[in-house]
């Protein structure tokens, strides 16, 4: 497992409460306004193109690409300031079915704007390489909050100086929308009591950069048109919302559904009933005694009804007896593996990095200089998914590897990296590959694992992988940049010893105050990922941030998990099982019935119930589950401070959980 792979050095990137009722009602009307039926005008040749959108109209100034909205409720919003790159003089506007088209001859760009399912969709096609910095968002004077899918999701007041500070990592370097730094290729803003959603289907080749101007955060997208990368097409959609902090995720979920890209956990369970054992299950990586039959039986004796159990498939994997004991207990069991890293088999420090024959170095990704892309922890190389795809029909390298990994009877599989979004351009003449091809290859090989009957998970899954995965570890965590140097400090974080209980997993750590605020302050947290993808896959926190790793955040993390209806993630050895087992069992007993009822439902409502955002409520399905969490210091809305109240439809009174009382 990751125990022998240090974390890769990655650089990830108030308003009144509003219900989602208005957004959902408008979403139901999305099919009423289509590209074929839209009325589009170009203001008698003045270069202003007006496109109807759900809830109003959008006007594009072709001279600058500035976009202004005129909501039906009145007023005006600047959805985008003029493009931050020179465009040159636009060509004449041509009316097309459902929209308009024009060109920027100096940039070699052709632009099409159409009304599509209630959104404004703008497509750019480039005749040569270059870039465009657009849209420029958050510029309207009424902008109050930014919604950003870092991990589960953040809602950031645009004037909050804390987030504008360079050490937050939000301002400064651009965030690659296709890299995994964001879990979804979208963002949004609240403008007073209204809002806007921005989606970028062409995420590969697109980045998003935030800057503080006048003490207020604004975001500018940049798309690079590159023939070699096959990124000469660029699409952005704009939608008006009701200003709810999760409204952009509602818009994105609708977009995924409309384009056939939204998975269904119900369908996955029908295809593979073993996936159903994820419902109600907590997750844990096992070490030492915890991975033996005796350790598994102890979990069951404590009353833990469902678990996903992962283990390092290295020199001491779980035995067949332990796996069968777990499965008889109703648990899922899966090895950690990775198809992404290769090392010299004679010196490899990880079994998952050792491959037969000349996979290393022949399958290494080659950079533009002709050098291998250095692999995990600066060891070995990243392996090309294209090289594997070309070789697989004859060599069966991946199929043989998987068969070997599950020979002990494991019914699940955790494939690191594949869904995380670290995509590569491979310049090798033997196996050339664009980033888009890399993504397609990963989806294909993950699909093969799923079709083979394995309950599949991967790391920090980007939304693009939601259809092939049953679960992910990582996308629930809004990682702050300060986490990576902290993890590399072995004195603070712990290293990879002792072998049966590495300190990197088991040593408790106090997060610096600012980092804790970035990642776990409930005032900034919003369930964007769950709004978009709950009911498609099961989302969990990062593998190295087990529930016990951050003692000061335990109560908040447990409350957020219950509020978002997602499992907690543990690391267990023999001593941890004895010490933490009763607490784990109590939390899992509370969680299991809630997740078993609502895990396949969509998150239909998120609201702040108090002005300080300390009391929050979620609803799943048509009232199947309602959860109220009080992160404040005093009782509110019938919930004690530091507690969660959950109500299942048709289940009598609410169920109360106060996590601190269990510690």
């Amino acid at each position: 497992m990751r125990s022998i792979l240090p974390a890769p050095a990655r650089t990830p990137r108030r308003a009144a409460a509003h219900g989602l009722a208005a957004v959902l009602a408008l979403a139901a009307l999305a099919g009423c306004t289509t590209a074929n039926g839209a009325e589009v005008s170009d203001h008698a040749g003045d270069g202003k193109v007006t496109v109807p959108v759900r809830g109003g109209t959008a006007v594009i100034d072709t001279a600058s690409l500035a976009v202004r909205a005129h909501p039906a409720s009145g007023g005006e919003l600047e959805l985008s300031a003029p493009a931050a790159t020179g465009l040159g003089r636009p060509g004449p506007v041509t009316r097309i079915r459902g929209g308009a088209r024009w060109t920027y001859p100096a940039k070699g760009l052709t632009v099409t704007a159409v009304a599509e399912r209630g959104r404004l969709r703008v497509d750019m096609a480039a005749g040569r390489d270059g870039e465009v910095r657009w849209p420029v968002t958050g510029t309207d004077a009424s902008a109050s909050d930014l919604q950003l899918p870092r991990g589960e999701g953040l809602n950031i007041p645009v004037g909050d100086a804390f987030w504008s500070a360079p050490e937050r990592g939000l301002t400064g370097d651009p965030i690659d929308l296709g890299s995994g730094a964001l879990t979804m290729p979208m963002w949004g803003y609240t403008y007073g009591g209204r809002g806007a959603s921005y989606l970028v289907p062409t995420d590969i080749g697109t980045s998003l950069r935030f800057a503080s101007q006048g003490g207020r955060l604004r975001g500018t997208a940049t798309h690079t048109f590159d023939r070699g990368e096959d990124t000469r097409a660029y699409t952005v959609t704009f939608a008006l919302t009701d200003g709810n902090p999760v409204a952009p995720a509602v818009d994105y979920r609708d977009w995924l559904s409309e384009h056939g890209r939204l998975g269904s956990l119900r369908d996955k369970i029908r295809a593979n009933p073993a996936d159903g054992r994820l419902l109600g299950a907590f997750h844990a990586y096992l070490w030492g005694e915890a991975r033996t039959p005796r350790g598994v039986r102890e979990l069951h004796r404590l009353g833990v009804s469902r678990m996903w159990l992962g283990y390092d498939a290295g020199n001491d994997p779980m035995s067949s007896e332990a796996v069968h004991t777990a499965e008889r207990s109703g648990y899922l069991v899966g090895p950690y593996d990775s198809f992404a890293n290769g090392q010299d088999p004679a010196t490899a420090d990880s079994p998952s990095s050792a491959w037969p024959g000349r996979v290393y170095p022949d399958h290494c990704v080659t950079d533009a200089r002709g050098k291998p892309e250095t692999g995990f922890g600066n060891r070995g190389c990243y392996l090309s998914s294209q090289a594997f795809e070309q070789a697989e029909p004859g060599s069966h390298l991946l199929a043989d590897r998987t068969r070997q990994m599950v020979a002990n009877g494991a019914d699940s599989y955790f494939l690191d990296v594949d869904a995380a979004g670290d995509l590569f351009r491979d310049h090798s003449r033997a196996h050339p590959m664009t980033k888009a091809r890399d993504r397609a290859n990963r989806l294909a090989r993950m699909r093969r694992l799923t079709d083979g009957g394995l309950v599949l998970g991967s790391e920090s899954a980007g939304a693009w992988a939601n259809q092939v995965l049953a679960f992910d570890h990582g996308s629930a965590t809004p990682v702050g940049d300060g986490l990576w140097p902290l993890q590399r400090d072995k004195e603070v974080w712990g290293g990879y010893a002792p072998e049966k209980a590495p300190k990197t997993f088991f040593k408790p750590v106090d997060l610096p105050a600012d980092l804790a605020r970035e990642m776990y302050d409930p005032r900034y947290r919003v369930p964007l990922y769950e709004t978009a993808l709950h009911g498609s896959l099961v989302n969990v926190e990062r593998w190295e941030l087990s529930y016990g790793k951050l003692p000061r955040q335990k109560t908040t993390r447990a409350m957020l998990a219950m509020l978002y209806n997602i499992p907690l993630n543990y690391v267990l050895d023999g001593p941890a099982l004895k010490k933490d087992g009763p607490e784990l069992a109590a939390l899992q007993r509370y969680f299991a019935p809630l997740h078993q009822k609502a895990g396949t439902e969509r998150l239909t409502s998120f609201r702040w119930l108090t002005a300080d955002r300390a009391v929050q409520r979620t609803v799943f399905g048509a009232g199947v589950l309602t959860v109220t969490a009080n992160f404040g210091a005093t009782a509110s809305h019938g919930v004690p401070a530091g507690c969660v109240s959950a109500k299942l439809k048709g289940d009598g009174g609410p169920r109360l959980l106060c996590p601190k009382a269990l510690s």
Side-chain angles (χ1 to χ4, degrees):
M1 204 182 69
R2 303 171 177 85
S3 61
I4 45 183
L5 297 176
R10 295 175 181 156
T11 305
R13 293 304 230 201
R14 311 165 261 230
H18 297 277
L20 289 183
V23 173
L24 296 173
L26 289 172
L29 299 175
C32 297
T33 303
T34 67
N36 291 332
E39 290 294 330
V40 178
S41 63
D42 63 356
H43 294 273
D46 67 355
K48 303 285 198 308
V49 174
T50 299
V51 178
V53 296
R54 191 167 46 237
T57 59
V59 180
I60 308 171
D61 182 355
T62 63
S64 66
L65 278 182
V67 183
R68 304 194 73 83
H70 297 275
S73 57
E76 185 177 80
L77 293 175
E78 185 173 66
L79 298 183
S80 174
T85 44
L87 299 169
R89 185 185 297 274
V93 175
T94 302
R95 296 284 297 277
I96 61 172
R97 185 173 176 81
R101 177 175 294 138
W102 64 96
T103 62
Y104 296 103
K107 293 284 287 185
L109 285 178
T110 298
V111 180
T112 302
V114 297
E116 182 184 69
R117 295 182 181 266
R119 302 178 190 88
L120 164 64
R121 193 189 82 204
V122 178
D123 298 307
M124 296 185 184
R128 56 179 179 268
D129 290 353
E131 72 170 30
V132 62
R133 296 198 295 278
W134 178 88
V136 181
T137 64
T139 56
D140 193 275
S142 66
S144 60
D145 293 74
L146 161 70
Q147 292 87 42
L148 191 67
R150 181 190 273 186
E152 178 62 64
L154 297 171
N155 182 89
I156 300 169
V158 297
D160 191 331
F162 175 79
W163 288 97
S164 297
E167 52 268 29
R168 298 291 85 73
L170 181 59
T171 58
D173 293 337
I175 305 169
D176 187 342
L177 290 185
S179 73
L182 298 181
T183 53
M184 298 176 281
M186 48 77 90
W187 70 102
Y189 276 92
T190 298
Y191 299 101
R194 298 178 287 203
S197 169
Y198 305 87
L199 311 183
V200 183
T202 51
D203 55 336
I204 296 174
T206 306
S207 62
L208 184 60
R209 187 171 194 161
F210 289 95
S212 178
Q213 296 191 12
R216 296 165 60 79
L217 287 168
R218 60 170 61 182
T220 301
T222 298
H223 185 80
T224 301
F225 301 102
D226 187 314
R227 181 180 180 183
E229 289 282 10
D230 195 22
T231 59
R232 283 196 176 175
Y234 179 38
T235 297
V236 182
T237 74
F238 303 75
L240 295 177
T241 73
D242 71 346
N244 184 280
V246 298
V250 173
D251 184 36
Y252 185 53
R253 182 186 180 95
D254 290 344
W255 186 93
L256 288 171
S257 180
E258 292 158 9
H259 290 80
R261 299 184 187 180
L262 181 64
S264 163
L265 192 52
R266 283 196 184 97
D267 290 346
K268 294 169 187 176
I269 292 170
R270 277 193 285 268
N272 180 13
D275 283 8
R277 280 182 275 158
L278 287 169
L279 297 177
F282 277 4
H283 294 230
Y285 284 102
L286 305 181
W287 300 85
E289 177 71 16
R291 66 168 62 182
T292 66
R294 179 179 174 182
V296 174
R297 285 194 292 269
E298 177 62 15
L299 265 177
H300 192 254
R301 186 194 68 78
L302 287 166
V304 177
S305 61
R306 291 193 177 185
M307 288 290 294
W308 179 90
L309 303 176
Y311 62 91
D312 182 346
N315 298 322
D316 183 28
M318 282 185 77
S319 67
S320 295
E321 182 185 358
V323 168
H324 294 150
T325 300
E327 292 174 350
R328 286 195 298 270
S329 299
Y331 304 162
L332 289 164
V333 183
Y336 161 86
D337 196 10
S338 175
F339 297 163
N341 192 243
Q343 299 181 40
D344 184 338
T347 58
D349 56 10
S350 166
S352 65
S353 297
W355 295 84
R358 288 189 55 83
V359 169
Y360 179 87
D362 289 359
H363 280 38
C364 291
V365 172
T366 302
D367 66 20
R369 301 167 299 169
K371 304 293 184 183
E373 287 278 2
T374 303
F376 296 169
N378 296 315
R379 301 189 304 281
C381 72
Y382 277 101
L383 297 175
S384 170
S385 65
Q386 182 64 22
F388 276 121
E389 287 300 296
Q390 292 175 189
E392 191 65 11
S395 67
H396 314 300
L397 286 163
L398 301 183
D400 290 347
R401 170 70 158 260
T402 304
R403 234 182 332 265
Q404 174 190 350
M405 287 286 189
V406 299
N408 60 358
D411 51 9
S412 185
Y413 212 80
F414 186 85
L415 188 62
D416 196 25
V417 177
D418 260 34
D422 288 337
L423 304 173
F424 291 97
R425 167 90 182 273
D426 190 350
H427 294 263
S428 165
R429 292 184 179 180
H431 38 79
M433 173 179 74
T434 63
K435 290 181 178 180
R437 172 49 53 190
D438 190 12
R439 179 180 286 180
N441 291 339
R442 294 170 188 235
L443 286 170
R445 67 194 192 188
M446 287 191 284
R447 174 66 71 186
R448 291 196 293 267
L449 293 172
T450 297
D451 290 347
L454 291 168
V455 180
L456 182 64
S458 190
E459 177 193 3
S460 301
W464 53 269
N466 84 88
Q467 292 178 294
V468 299
L469 295 177
F471 68 96
D472 92 277
H473 290 167
S475 288
T477 311
V479 174
D481 279 3
L483 184 65
W484 311 122
L486 189 67
Q487 289 187 356
R488 290 192 290 269
D489 186 337
K490 293 183 179 180
E491 291 298 316
V492 174
W493 196 263
Y496 289 85
E499 182 180 354
K500 292 187 180 297
K503 288 187 177 180
T504 189
F505 294 107
F506 291 95
K507 181 183 178 181
V509 171
D510 286 339
L511 289 181
D514 281 357
L515 184 57
R517 184 178 176 188
E518 275 185 77
M519 294 174 61
Y520 293 112
D521 189 330
R523 294 173 300 170
Y524 299 127
R525 292 286 298 264
V526 289
L528 296 179
Y529 197 89
E530 299 316 308
T531 298
L533 296 175
H534 197 277
S536 175
L537 77 168
V538 175
N539 187 25
V540 187
E541 280 223 66
R542 289 185 61 83
W543 59 273
E544 79 277 31
L545 297 177
S546 67
Y547 185 57
K549 183 70 176 179
L550 309 174
R552 292 188 178 182
Q553 280 71 48
K554 283 179 66 175
T555 294
T556 297
R557 293 172 77 191
M559 292 172 64
L560 286 168
M562 303 307 158
L563 183 66
Y564 297 167
N565 197 229
I566 62 174
L568 291 172
N569 205 355
Y570 283 77
V571 173
L572 298 174
D573 66 350
L577 185 54
K578 290 178 182 177
K579 175 178 175 289
D580 302 325
E583 179 188 34
L584 183 160
L587 289 167
Q588 193 270 336
R589 280 195 296 271
Y590 183 87
F591 174 75
L594 309 182
H595 197 237
Q596 286 173 296
K597 291 286 188 180
T600 57
E601 301 285 345
R602 66 180 295 180
L603 193 160
T604 48
S605 176
F606 171 77
R607 291 192 295 151
W608 294 306
L609 301 183
T610 55
D612 63 0
R613 304 184 178 180
V615 184
Q616 304 177 11
R617 177 170 291 164
T618 52
V619 179
F620 297 85
V624 170
L625 172 66
T626 301
V627 185
T628 306
N630 183 357
F631 298 99
T634 59
S636 180
H637 289 75
V639 183
C643 300
V644 171
S645 175
K647 178 72 170 64
L648 283 168
K649 191 174 185 179
D651 187 46
R655 304 163 183 239
L656 188 68
L657 174 70
C658 300
K660 193 171 184 179
L662 302 176
S663 297

